[in-house]
Amino acid sequence: MSESDSYYIGIDVGTGSARAAIIDIKGQLVSLDVQPIITHNPKHDIYEQSSSNIWSSITTCVQNIMKQSKLQPHQIKGIGFDATCSLVVLDKQGNPQSIDQASNFADNEFNVILWADHRAIEQANRINATHHNVLRYVGNIISPEMEIPKTLWLKENMPEDLWNSIGHLMDLPDFLTYRATGSLARSTCSLTCKCSYLPRLVGKGWEPSFFKEIGLGCLVDEDFARMGGNDQENVLEAGDPVGSGLTEEAAKELGLLPGTPVGSAIIDAYAGAIATLGATPYGTSEREDMLSSLDDSLKTQGPSRLAIICGTSSCHIAMSPNPIFVNGVWGPYRSVMVGNMWCAEGGQSSTGQLIDFIVNTHPALAEARQKSAEKNLNIYAYLAQHLVLLQTQRGLKHIQELTKHLHIYPDFHGNRSPLADPSLRGTIVGISLDKSIDDLALRYLATLQAIACQTRHIIETLNKEGYTIDTLCMSGGLCKSLLFVKILADVTQCRIILPESIDGAVVIGAAFLGAKASGLSTDLWDIMVRLGRAGSTILPDKDQQVVEMNGRRYKVFLAMLDDQKRYRDIMDSSN
């Protein structure tokens, strides 16, 4: 069968929606569909979902893209999955088991603890107090967003009989391949990044002394059966074929053929990295050089490129041929994406969510929405236009000057990187009693600048330890804001490469896993470079005034962080 008859499906489960896409042999997007996911949020720090609802949304997406594309099931050569790092709980029969404390763990509909759920902060703090050597691979500080603190929370809060009835504890990406194939094989990505697992050539898998010390010795006693077992051969690298492909049941639900290859899954942020880290604009010498020497390009481009996947939250992923330990940054993780490469993972717990919060809580929101609707613009495009108007009215050369004395520190939902401190909170300096659209636009701009400053903080921390990051490969919804992308380039002084398809970048990365599972190539980096499709390139403004202005803003950003810590010390002191 000709290459033109070969297509791959990617399935991406994000925080609020599931999406599926079909790509062709050149990595071009053929069709895309998105369906919502239900999130249960009974308290401000509790976020729960349903694995049944998630799978239902996936099946609708796949059925829709097959209809849109008019392709036949035999033309789909492979399927890949990615998902958020959320904890799925199943009973011993493989059915959903409740994690919902509000229902006394009786509502089995909600069996997924979402990544953003912070119920396990106390458990994470106790785990960190052990200073166990396993914690070296999460920047010495485990996050409450990871699966082991959440598992410990379940053990300590569920009735004993319900805890004992749990049959499977899975990261959501692994649940999806299990649901598709019936195989209990786990992914190196999920286990290593979120479950304190030490993969081949790093450790022997699960480290018994760690789990005993933190209060999960019961998992050791059962040989980690609920976590997937202790057989390292059953832990697959990204895109490796899972089981025998789609089961009869899953194939019928998706409208595909039984046995269609399924690639070992990854966390959603890594799918964005897979789609973008190898992508370089067509027709450039840089792309030709990367293709002509894949091994050399992997070792040189890896440490200099940072994938930023920016949506509700933002994740930052860099690669290196050697392990680089960075305090407050997760990793280094071996072979969680490209084989034999080490990944560092930084992140910001709230970015798109923070922008929404700042805008949606402003008194001028209703007026701004009305005016944006009159211009047939979304609220953010309208605010960007309004900022240009303010710049002109005030006779300013650079838009950054509008917020010279308005500053925001962005950790409203705690700090993921590079401080790994979930107790930190946001700060705003320079607000007035102004309730106008002008003030709303300025707060919007200051929020974008704050997110960019924190990204710079993460990049500087990585580069200090041995990375050489000068290029940002972006994906996710925030890429649609040209204002944000330009601010990020200027604040970090890095080149930015956008994906050809902003809406589809992450799910396209998942499709690359399907391509690998199909046998297109055994080398994921080869697929990333050949199928990766870059869009626009944005260069930083080298104007000295802009560089100095952003430098001063970054100094204020760091000072606001220091001030918050100092204020806490003052209030916590007994004197």
Side-chain angles (χ1 to χ4, degrees):
M1 189 170 291
S2 67
E3 285 190 345
S4 61
D5 244 356
S6 297
Y7 297 86
Y8 312 99
I9 287 180
I11 296 167
D12 162 51
V13 178
T15 301
S17 62
R19 63 186 62 208
I22 298 173
I23 64 168
D24 64 17
I25 197 74
K26 296 181 180 179
Q28 291 179 304
L29 182 65
V30 174
S31 61
L32 174 70
D33 189 64
V34 184
Q35 297 293 324
I37 291 172
I38 297 169
T39 298
H40 181 51
N41 180 209
K43 295 172 64 177
H44 75 93
D45 58 349
I46 301 295
Y47 295 89
E48 302 171 346
Q49 292 184 335
S50 160
S51 62
S52 298
N53 170 251
I54 289 169
W55 185 255
S56 176
S57 294
I58 287 171
T59 58
T60 300
C61 283
V62 174
Q63 291 168 11
N64 287 345
I65 59 174
M66 290 300 289
K67 290 177 184 176
Q68 293 167 16
S69 66
K70 296 183 171 57
L71 294 174
Q72 297 302 309
H74 71 267
Q75 294 175 282
I76 304 302
K77 304 304 180 186
I79 305 170
F81 290 89
D82 76 75
T84 62
C85 50
S86 302
L87 182 63
V88 181
V89 180
L90 305 175
D91 65 19
K92 288 181 169 60
Q93 288 72 46
N95 299 314
Q97 181 164 334
S98 178
I99 47 77
D100 181 43
Q101 190 175 36
S103 69
N104 293 317
F105 303 99
D107 186 354
N108 290 324
E109 178 65 18
F110 295 109
N111 69 315
V112 180
I113 304 180
L114 189 66
W115 67 268
D117 186 292
H118 277 191
R119 71 182 71 191
I121 286 179
E122 179 190 343
Q123 285 74 18
N125 289 339
R126 280 191 272 122
I127 292 171
N128 288 324
T130 68
H131 302 291
H132 196 284
N133 192 54
V134 166
L135 299 176
R136 289 184 67 212
Y137 294 94
V138 288
N140 293 308
I141 302 175
I142 203 166
S143 167
E145 296 173 5
M146 293 180 174
E147 311 305 13
I148 299 308
K150 290 173 181 173
T151 298
L152 182 57
W153 184 92
L154 289 173
K155 179 179 181 293
E156 294 177 345
N157 287 275
M158 294 181 81
E160 186 176 1
D161 62 323
L162 290 179
W163 164 256
N164 289 333
S165 69
I166 292 175
H168 306 281
L169 294 160
M170 293 180 165
D171 200 33
L172 181 54
D174 286 339
F175 166 78
L176 297 179
T177 56
Y178 162 70
R179 185 66 178 77
T181 69
S183 170
L184 287 170
R186 302 300 177 95
S187 65
T188 300
C189 185
S190 281
L191 291 192
T192 303
C193 296
K194 304 304 173 187
C195 300
S196 301
Y197 183 87
L198 303 181
R200 297 179 185 89
L201 302 185
V202 176
K204 296 181 180 179
W206 308 109
E207 175 49 57
S209 65
F210 172 69
F211 287 89
K212 289 178 180 177
E213 188 169 355
I214 67 173
L216 285 172
C218 56
L219 298 181
V220 180
D221 296 339
E222 65 186 40
D223 203 24
F224 297 94
R226 283 184 272 191
M227 305 296 292
N230 221 347
D231 181 3
Q232 285 192 307
E233 296 303 315
N234 208 34
V235 179
L236 307 177
E237 293 187 1
D240 286 351
V242 181
S244 300
L246 288 181
T247 63
E248 293 274 355
E249 178 186 6
K252 183 177 180 180
E253 292 170 327
L254 298 169
L256 300 173
L257 295 181
T260 302
V262 174
S264 181
I266 51 173
I267 298 161
D268 55 350
Y270 285 85
I274 285 173
T276 58
L277 280 175
T280 301
Y282 273 72
T284 62
S285 59
E286 183 179 9
R287 184 175 191 275
E288 296 307 315
D289 290 344
M290 290 172 69
L291 284 169
S292 65
S293 182
L294 287 169
D295 188 55
D296 287 345
S297 67
L298 176 60
K299 292 176 180 176
T300 57
Q301 296 287 345
S304 68
R305 291 188 170 206
L306 180 70
I308 301 184
I309 303 88
C310 46
T312 304
S313 62
S314 290
C315 188
H316 308 72
I317 296 173
M319 293 190 296
S320 171
N322 300 303
I324 299 176
F325 290 88
V326 183
N327 280 334
V329 173
W330 299 339
Y333 299 136
R334 184 182 180 275
S335 294
V336 297
M337 186 167 62
V338 177
N340 299 318
M341 290 290 283
W342 297 76
C343 285
E345 181 185 344
Q348 294 160 281
S349 292
S350 181
T351 49
Q353 181 187 49
L354 175 60
I355 294 167
D356 289 344
F357 175 80
I358 294 293
V359 171
N360 293 338
T361 57
H362 196 279
L365 174 64
E367 182 185 0
R369 278 183 171 162
Q370 180 182 343
K371 292 191 174 183
S372 64
E374 291 170 358
K375 293 190 173 186
N376 198 28
L377 296 171
N378 67 53
I379 185 73
Y380 303 109
Y382 169 75
L383 292 175
Q385 281 192 5
H386 196 76
L387 287 166
V388 174
L389 176 64
L390 290 177
Q391 179 188 355
T392 302
Q393 289 175 345
R394 300 181 185 185
L396 301 176
K397 181 180 178 183
H398 303 290
I399 203 167
Q400 295 96 324
E401 297 176 83
L402 286 169
T403 50
K404 183 176 182 179
H405 296 300
L406 177 62
H407 300 272
I408 294 177
Y409 182 78
D411 283 333
F412 284 53
H413 194 55
N415 182 279
R416 187 186 297 172
S417 302
L419 306 171
D421 185 350
S423 72
L424 285 173
R425 289 295 176 260
T427 310
I428 305 178
V429 173
I431 59 174
S432 69
L433 297 176
D434 190 350
K435 298 180 180 179
S436 70
I437 289 179
D438 289 357
D439 186 70
L440 170 57
L442 295 178
R443 292 198 199 187
Y444 172 59
L445 175 58
T447 305
L448 300 183
Q449 292 169 319
I451 293 169
C453 283
Q454 189 163 68
T455 303
R456 176 172 170 174
H457 195 194
I458 292 168
I459 292 170
E460 288 189 353
T461 303
L462 290 167
N463 284 347
K464 181 181 178 182
E465 299 300 330
Y467 285 92
T468 56
I469 295 162
D470 60 14
T471 299
L472 310 181
C473 303
M474 296 186 67
S475 60
L478 291 186
C479 293
K480 295 179 181 178
S481 170
L482 295 180
L483 174 62
F484 172 67
V485 171
K486 184 61 179 142
I487 288 170
L488 186 61
D490 291 346
V491 169
T492 63
Q493 285 293 293
C494 290
R495 173 182 67 154
I496 291 178
I497 300 176
L498 295 177
E500 182 179 83
S501 172
I502 291 175
D503 288 329
V506 175
V507 71
I508 287 171
F512 287 7
L513 301 177
K516 183 184 175 188
S518 75
L520 180 65
S521 174
T522 58
D523 182 354
L524 185 57
W525 179 246
D526 179 20
I527 293 173
M528 290 164 64
V529 176
R530 293 185 188 282
L531 273 62
R533 302 185 69 89
S536 303
T537 297
I538 293 86
L539 299 177
D541 192 337
K542 298 294 184 180
D543 181 281
Q544 195 61 30
Q545 186 177 355
V546 172
V547 173
E548 291 178 357
M549 200 177 343
N550 285 321
R552 290 193 295 272
R553 177 168 290 277
Y554 184 60
K555 286 183 180 179
V556 173
F557 168 87
L558 295 176
M560 291 172 74
L561 169 60
D562 290 341
D563 286 344
Q564 180 175 167
K565 293 178 178 179
R566 188 161 53 90
Y567 299 157
R568 290 194 170 194
D569 288 343
I570 291 171
M571 296 305 296
D572 290 340
S573 67
S574 57
N575 297 328

